[in-house]
Amino acid sequence: MAETVRIPGFGDGADRETVFVGVVDVALLAGLVLLGQLSHGQNPLAEPLGALEAIAPFVLAWIVVAPFAGVYARAVLSSPTAAVRVTVIGWLAAANVGFILRASPWFEGGIAWAFPLVMTGMGLLLLVGWRLAYVALAGGGR
């Protein structure tokens, strides 16, 4: 039986599988932001603090919003329909919180008009695609 760790917003606690899914979620979001920086001619390795500042609003928003949306609930990690529905809701909420943070004086970068469209759309593709693949491969065996 998997060891359970108490994490706020995860109901009865998060087992190793839930933590794994959360780590992959955060890695995908960070990778998406870094890919965006590379596509705009920025080098995250040359400016690591700038890269972290670009990643932080979206990762922080996801970490705060995702548990409230229920994206780590056992039913969501085992049902394709629930995975899509809840992940879409969670990402739309988290992306908007990330945009608010990014536009705030606490983070540099601001927001060009197309950025929310690209970030929201690509985030949806990545998170929903990953979650569907995960549920198909691992979730059905619960």
Side-chain angles (χ1 to χ4, degrees), residues 14 19 26 30 39 41 43 53 67 79 89 101 107 111 113 118 121 129 137 139:
V19 172
V26 167
S39 73
N43 182 353
E53 192 169 29
S79 164
I89 292 167
L101 289 172
F107 295 94
I111 297 180
W113 74 270
V118 173
L137 296 172

Side-chain angles (χ1 to χ4, degrees), residues 71 75-88 128 131-132 135:
V71 299
V76 173
L77 295 177
S78 61
S79 164
T81 305
V84 170
R85 181 175 36 84
V86 175
T87 303
V88 166
V128 170
R131 289 304 189 91
L132 279 174
V135 168

Side-chain angles (χ1 to χ4, degrees), residues 30 33-34 37-38 42-57 107:
V33 173
L34 292 175
Q37 286 189 314
L38 289 170
Q42 297 172 336
N43 182 353
L45 295 176
E47 298 180 46
L49 292 178
L52 288 174
E53 192 169 29
I55 293 167
F107 295 94

Side-chain angles (χ1 to χ4, degrees), residues 1-7 10-23 72-74 77 134 142:
M1 180 172 241
E3 183 178 321
T4 300
V5 179
R6 298 281 177 210
I7 299 175
F10 287 86
D12 293 333
D15 59 21
R16 289 180 183 174
E17 180 181 29
T18 307
V19 172
F20 167 74
V21 171
V23 168
Y72 298 109
R74 295 197 190 289
L77 295 177
Y134 178 79
R142 288 180 178 259

